[in-house]
Amino acid sequence: MRNVASASGKIVLAGEYAMVFGSPGLALPSKQGVRVTCNEDGGRTLTIQREGAEQDTQKEQFALTIVRLCEEKRKPVCGTLTVESDLPLGKGMGSSTALVIAIARCLLGEKCLDDALAIEDHVNPGHSGMDFTVIWNAQPIRYERGKPAQPIQIPRTILDRALLIDTGAPGETTAELVKWVRSREAELKKPLTTIGSCADRILAKENPLAVFRDHHRAQIALGVVPENVQEFVAAVEAQGGAAKITGAGGRSGGGGIVIAVHDDHALLERLAEERGWPTFPL
Ligand code: MEV
């Protein structure tokens, strides 16, 4: 038997970490995503392969953990499970949640919402639910924990001018960073309040450049924006644009994916290229 399922990644425009404490956030599904194919052959073993990617035991083990959690709801999976992805992995675009949803849909069927969410709780502890909700719904949303996701239109002042920049993989997982931020909630009240106000400022049609600048400074105050990313965003701002990390960011290594907004994409591309960072459209 052969089953195929897929899921997009996501791009958070506003609300990182503040969403964990109940504030609203905005996100949209990414063009990139993951596709999972399972060929069950009636044998006794399972092979997990990642199409077009070098072997990586940690990544295969992560997929296997999700399969094993699915098996608590169905018969053992025997055969070959193939993961194809054009999503930047571990860089704040929801690759682990996309994999949870794609594997669960592939092995448990399209209506596996509750089971998939339980698996997400297991593999991404401490999450706000935003990544899961936007990827599951596959549409731009305003998310606030405990409330129904609200479909939104992303303002054209962002959509038409945004570029994504890959600043490299952070040294920490999102779950590790969320745990670290949670442990400092009291001392981070001010930046968390600033970030928590940004979703509704964008929806109220405030200039997104001003909102992104405030959001970015608050992310710096949380401690999740590496210095070279701070220096890049300063260069974008000096040219009249704005930029912020999308997703959890990082303490060591890269900052993951940055979303930059400027009318002149050639300028953003040049600033990124000078640092050896690839760019791609929203
Ligand atoms: C990750 O995309 C966004 C965070 O706020 C974590 C979460 O909301 O679960 C950092």
Side-chain angles (χ1 to χ4, degrees), residues 10 12 15-20 92 94 126-131 174 178 246-249:
K10 57 84 204 181
V12 177
E16 284 92 345
Y17 295 102
M19 295 183 290
V20 168
H127 69 99
S128 66
M130 163 58 109
D131 290 16
T174 297
V178 167
T246 175

Side-chain angles (χ1 to χ4, degrees), residues 40-60:
E40 293 195 65
D41 59 10
R44 284 165 176 259
T45 56
L46 171 65
T47 305
I48 293 185
Q49 57 188 31
R50 294 184 315 117
E51 191 74 31
E54 298 203 343
Q55 217 184 345
D56 181 328
T57 317
Q58 225 183 337
K59 293 201 168 64
E60 276 109 43

Side-chain angles (χ1 to χ4, degrees), residues 198-220:
C198 286
D200 289 342
R201 287 173 63 191
I202 289 174
L203 291 179
K205 301 216 164 23
E206 194 177 327
N207 181 352
L209 296 179
V211 181
F212 269 31
R213 286 174 193 150
D214 291 347
H215 198 300
H216 167 66
R217 278 162 188 66
Q219 284 167 293
I220 293 175

Side-chain angles (χ1 to χ4, degrees), residues 76-206:
V77 184
C78 295
T80 307
L81 185 120
T82 306
V83 178
E84 294 162 82
S85 174
D86 61 355
L87 197 57
L89 301 180
K91 292 182 179 172
M93 283 184 67
S95 56
S96 65
T97 303
L99 198 60
V100 166
I101 291 178
I103 293 180
R105 282 178 174 158
C106 184
L107 300 180
L108 303 176
E110 293 291 323
K111 292 188 183 144
C112 63
L113 172 63
D114 291 346
D115 292 328
L117 185 53
I119 297 172
E120 171 77 344
D121 290 343
H122 187 99
V123 299
N124 286 318
H127 69 99
S128 66
M130 163 58 109
D131 290 16
F132 188 91
T133 308
V134 66
I135 292 173
W136 183 272
N137 289 320
Q139 62 178 337
I141 55 166
R142 175 190 186 276
Y143 176 80
E144 193 172 341
R145 218 181 50 211
K147 293 190 181 169
Q150 182 190 333
I152 55 160
Q153 295 240 316
I154 305 293
R156 294 235 64 98
T157 46
I158 296 179
L159 276 187
D160 294 346
R161 298 190 289 171
L163 192 70
L164 300 175
I165 294 130
D166 184 349
T167 72
E172 303 77 24
T173 64
T174 297
E176 286 165 348
L177 292 163
V178 167
K179 193 171 168 207
W180 182 57
V181 170
R182 273 185 189 276
S183 72
R184 297 177 299 136
E185 182 187 357
E187 67 192 81
L188 298 177
K189 213 169 172 7
K190 196 158 170 257
L192 287 170
T193 303
T194 301
I195 292 174
S197 70
C198 286
D200 289 342
R201 287 173 63 191
I202 289 174
L203 291 179
K205 301 216 164 23
E206 194 177 327

